[in-house]
Amino acid sequence: MAEQMMAADGRPLKASLNRALRRQKIRALALIAPLLLFILISFVMPIADMLFRSVENEIVENTLPRTVVALQDWDATSGEAPDEPVFNALYTDMALAVEYKSHTRLGSRLNYETTGISSLFRKSGRRISRFDTDAYTDAFTAADPAYADPVQWAAWMDDDALRAKLPLTTSAYDGWEKMIVEAEGDVPTEEQPWDFVYTALYNDGVNGAELPIAVDVSQIEPVSIRAQFSDVDDDWLDPDVWQTIKTYSPTYTNGYFLNSVDLMKGAEGVEQRPENERIYIVLFIRTMIMSLSIMGMCVLLGYPIAWLLANLSARTANLLMILVLLPFWTSLLVRTSAWKVLLQQQGVINDVLVWIGIVADDNRLELINNQTGTIIAMTHILLPFMILPLYSVMKTIPPSYLRAAKSLGATNWTAFWRVYFPQSVPGIGAGCILVFILAIGYYITPELVGGTKGVFISNRIAYHISSSLNWGLAAALGTILLAIVMALYWAYDKIVGIDNVKLGG
C-alpha cells in the first residue's frame, strides 16, 4: 500500500489542496457578493415582482371572502342577480371593508373590467351604515338583554359547539372582532357587536340553527338586504356586475394577460373585446415594426459613419467622434424637444424645403405627431448606440486585408463585400440588439413627438402605472414585451449566433 503524501502542516496532501481551493472559492464569492446582491435587488426581484403582479388578484377574495363563497352556487348565465344569501354575505363584507377602507381599492380593481363598479362601491360604502338592519339588533336585545352584553358574546364565541351551530354569526363576529381591534383600536369585550352580526344571527335562526338564548325569529320583521342594496343603486341587480365579481374572485387570474391581447372573460369563456376596445395588439405590432424600422435606419446611417471614423487619421476621427458623442451627452428631453421644433409644419425643416422649392408653402409635410416623427427622432437619439459598437469592431479590421484583396484583382465593391463586410457583422449584430431593445422600451420620445399614431406599447405601460394605476395590466404588458424580447434574442442566437456579437476587440 502506497504511503499517503502529507503536506507541511501534517494534513493529507489531498485534503490540504481541497481546503485551499475551497478558501479560494469563498474569497472569489465574497468579492462578487456585492455585485450579485445588487443584481438580485435591482434587477431580479423587480422582474419577479412584475411577473407576480401580472397574475395576482387577491384583493377580491380578501375583501369579499364571504361573498366569494356564496357566489359559487350562483349561475352566471341565468341572467338574474344572485339571491338574498349572497347579498347578506355582501352586507357583512362591505360593512367590514368600509372600516378598513378597502372597498374603494376593490371598486377600482373591478372597474378595470367593468366600467362603473368603482362608483357603485363608493356609493354603497357611504350608505352601508344606514341600512335598516338595526331592527334585528333591537329585536334580539329586547328579547333578552344578554344579547347586548359584549362579555356574553365573547363567551358564546369561545364555545366551539355553539360556533358550529351558528356558522354565519361566527363568521360575522370573528370579522367584527378582528376589525374592532385592528381598525378601531377597541376591546371586543367592551363593545356591543354591530348590526351585521345580529343580521347574521337572525339568518342563522331563520335557517333553523339553535340560538344561544331562544328567540322566536318568525316574529321579527325580515329586512331584505337585496332591496337595501338595490335602493342604493340599481346596478346591484345587474348580472354583469356579479359576473365580474365572480369571474375575478380567484386568487390568481389570467385576466390581465387576456386584456393585453384584446381578449376578455365572458359568461361562456374567453371572448374578444368589442372592436372599439381592441388596442393592444395594434400597439404591439406597431412597436415591433417601428423598432425594426429605427434599427434599420440606424444601420444605414451608422455604418458609413463608423467606417469613416475607423479609417480616418486618429486626430480627425477623434474630432468627428465628438460630433457623435455630443448629442449623446445631451439630455434626452432636450433632444426630443429640439425635434419638436424642427419637425413642425412651421418648423425649420419645412421652412428649408419650402425655401429651396421642394415643397409648396401650402402643402407642408406632416413630420410630427405621427410615426414619421417618432422614427426620425428616435433614429437620431439611438444612432450612437449603433455607431459605437460598429466603430469598435471596424477598428480591429486590418486595412491590409482590403489592399490585399485589391492587389489580387478584386474591385472596390468586391473587396468590401467579400472581405471587409463579413468582419464587421459582429458590430452590426451588437448595434442591432442594443438599438432594438432600447427602442421597444422608449416612451418619452414617442409620447412627445408621436401623437396618437406614433406611440409604442411602452406608452400604455407608463399610462397604466402612473395614471390609471392598473399595475396588473401594466405588469402583464411588460411581461409580454419581455417574452417577445427573449424570443427575438433566442431567434437571433439561432440564426446569427450570439458568439458573433462583439463590442470590440
Side-chain angles (χ1 to χ4, degrees):
M1 184 175 178
E3 185 178 352
Q4 190 176 27
M5 296 185 66
M6 307 298 288
D9 58 358
R11 297 172 185 269
L13 181 59
K14 186 176 181 181
S16 183
L17 287 173
N18 288 336
R19 187 183 181 192
L21 288 173
R22 190 163 55 249
R23 285 180 175 175
Q24 286 183 349
K25 289 179 181 178
I26 293 174
R27 278 198 295 268
L29 185 62
L31 285 174
I32 67 167
L35 176 61
L36 184 63
L37 195 62
F38 177 78
I39 291 175
L40 281 174
I41 294 174
S42 63
F43 184 71
V44 177
M45 291 177 64
I47 290 180
D49 184 65
M50 179 189 72
L51 296 175
F52 175 72
R53 284 180 182 275
S54 66
V55 295
E56 185 268 337
N57 191 51
E58 294 179 344
I59 187 171
V60 180
E61 187 180 31
N62 289 344
T63 309
L64 304 178
R66 299 163 188 83
T67 310
V68 168
V69 173
L71 270 177
Q72 290 177 352
D73 296 330
W74 175 64
D75 183 5
T77 61
S78 64
E80 298 288 337
D83 294 329
E84 197 72 26
V86 175
F87 280 93
N88 286 330
L90 177 65
Y91 171 55
T92 301
D93 288 335
M94 280 290 291
L96 292 170
V98 168
E99 297 304 313
Y100 285 113
K101 297 181 174 56
S102 59
H103 67 297
T104 54
R105 295 199 301 273
L106 173 63
S108 299
R109 164 67 186 96
L110 296 176
N111 201 65
Y112 299 147
E113 315 301 337
T114 301
T115 304
I117 289 188
S118 178
S119 62
L120 184 63
F121 272 83
R122 290 177 187 277
K123 187 190 299 183
S124 302
R126 290 192 295 269
R127 295 277 298 277
I128 199 77
S129 61
R130 298 202 294 270
F131 278 16
D132 297 332
T133 51
D134 55 346
Y136 294 134
T137 307
D138 296 340
F140 278 105
T141 55
D144 195 306
Y147 279 113
D149 185 0
V151 177
Q152 184 59 64
W153 268 100
W156 288 336
M157 291 297 105
D158 284 340
D159 185 343
D160 291 338
L162 191 57
R163 288 173 65 89
K165 295 177 183 176
L166 303 171
L168 299 178
T169 308
T170 300
S171 175
Y173 183 86
D174 288 348
W176 171 83
E177 184 182 42
K178 183 180 178 185
M179 178 273 296
I180 209 72
V181 173
E182 295 179 351
E184 301 292 326
D186 293 328
V187 179
T189 53
E190 296 176 356
E191 299 289 329
Q192 183 180 348
W194 291 6
D195 290 342
F196 63 85
V197 178
Y198 289 95
T199 305
L201 181 65
Y202 168 80
N203 288 321
D204 275 331
V206 169
N207 293 335
E210 181 182 347
L211 301 181
I213 300 174
V215 176
D216 186 3
V217 293
S218 64
Q219 299 299 315
I220 302 175
E221 186 69 25
V223 177
S224 172
I225 303 299
R226 195 173 191 264
Q228 298 282 310
F229 273 101
S230 71
D231 287 342
V232 174
D233 197 310
D234 289 340
D235 283 348
W236 281 116
L237 300 183
D238 183 355
D240 290 341
V241 170
W242 289 100
Q243 181 183 322
T244 301
I245 296 174
K246 184 174 183 178
T247 301
Y248 291 94
S249 59
T251 305
Y252 299 100
T253 179
N254 59 359
Y256 293 124
F257 282 99
L258 293 176
N259 288 345
S260 300
V261 291
D262 296 335
L263 299 175
M264 60 185 292
K265 289 183 176 181
E268 299 178 355
V270 177
E271 57 189 48
Q272 278 199 321
R273 283 194 167 275
E275 193 168 350
N276 60 345
E277 297 180 9
R278 300 174 197 169
I279 57 174
Y280 295 114
I281 291 292
V282 173
L283 281 174
F284 273 117
I285 294 174
R286 180 193 297 168
T287 301
M288 292 299 111
I289 292 176
M290 291 181 66
S291 297
L292 289 172
S293 301
I294 292 165
M295 184 187 74
M297 292 289 291
C298 287
V299 172
L300 291 176
L301 295 174
Y303 195 92
I305 296 173
W307 184 86
L308 194 64
L309 290 169
N311 290 279
L312 287 175
S313 63
R315 182 176 180 181
T316 308
N318 290 337
L319 185 63
L320 290 179
M321 182 61 79
I322 292 175
L323 298 179
V324 174
L325 295 177
L326 192 60
F328 190 57
W329 293 333
T330 308
S331 164
L332 173 64
L333 200 57
V334 171
R335 282 180 285 170
T336 304
S337 302
W339 279 112
K340 280 188 73 73
V341 175
L342 290 170
L343 296 175
Q344 290 181 22
Q345 281 196 307
Q346 302 300 323
V348 176
I349 294 178
N350 265 308
D351 283 348
V352 171
L353 293 175
V354 170
W355 179 65
I356 60 179
I358 295 178
V359 174
D361 191 27
D362 58 349
N363 192 28
R364 289 173 174 250
L365 301 177
E366 293 185 6
L367 300 175
I368 199 168
N369 295 330
N370 51 31
Q371 296 181 13
T372 304
T374 300
I375 291 175
I376 292 174
M378 287 189 63
T379 298
H380 167 252
I381 290 169
L382 296 177
L383 193 56
F385 293 98
M386 180 64 73
I387 293 175
L388 293 176
L390 274 172
Y391 171 72
S392 63
V393 170
M394 288 178 176
K395 283 293 287 183
T396 65
I397 302 174
S400 58
Y401 287 6
L402 278 178
R403 291 197 295 269
K406 291 177 183 177
S407 68
L408 293 173
T411 62
N412 288 337
W413 170 251
T414 302
F416 166 76
W417 186 248
R418 302 288 296 275
V419 176
Y420 191 87
F421 181 78
Q423 297 181 78
S424 65
V425 167
I428 297 176
C432 287
I433 289 179
L434 272 175
V435 170
F436 180 78
I437 291 177
L438 289 173
I440 62 173
Y442 257 61
Y443 65 94
I444 294 177
T445 305
E447 184 72 29
L448 294 179
V449 301
T452 57
K453 297 180 180 177
V455 296
F456 286 4
I457 191 66
S458 50
N459 293 99
R460 293 302 297 179
I461 295 175
Y463 167 75
H464 287 306
I465 289 175
S466 60
S467 298
S468 74
L469 304 182
N470 190 351
W471 287 18
L473 181 55
L477 291 170
T479 302
I480 292 175
L481 202 59
L482 177 64
I484 291 174
V485 171
M486 297 300 291
L488 291 175
Y489 179 83
W490 176 83
Y492 184 89
D493 185 34
K494 290 294 181 184
I495 297 171
V496 180
I498 200 64
D499 293 338
N500 292 324
V501 174
K502 293 180 181 177
L503 294 174

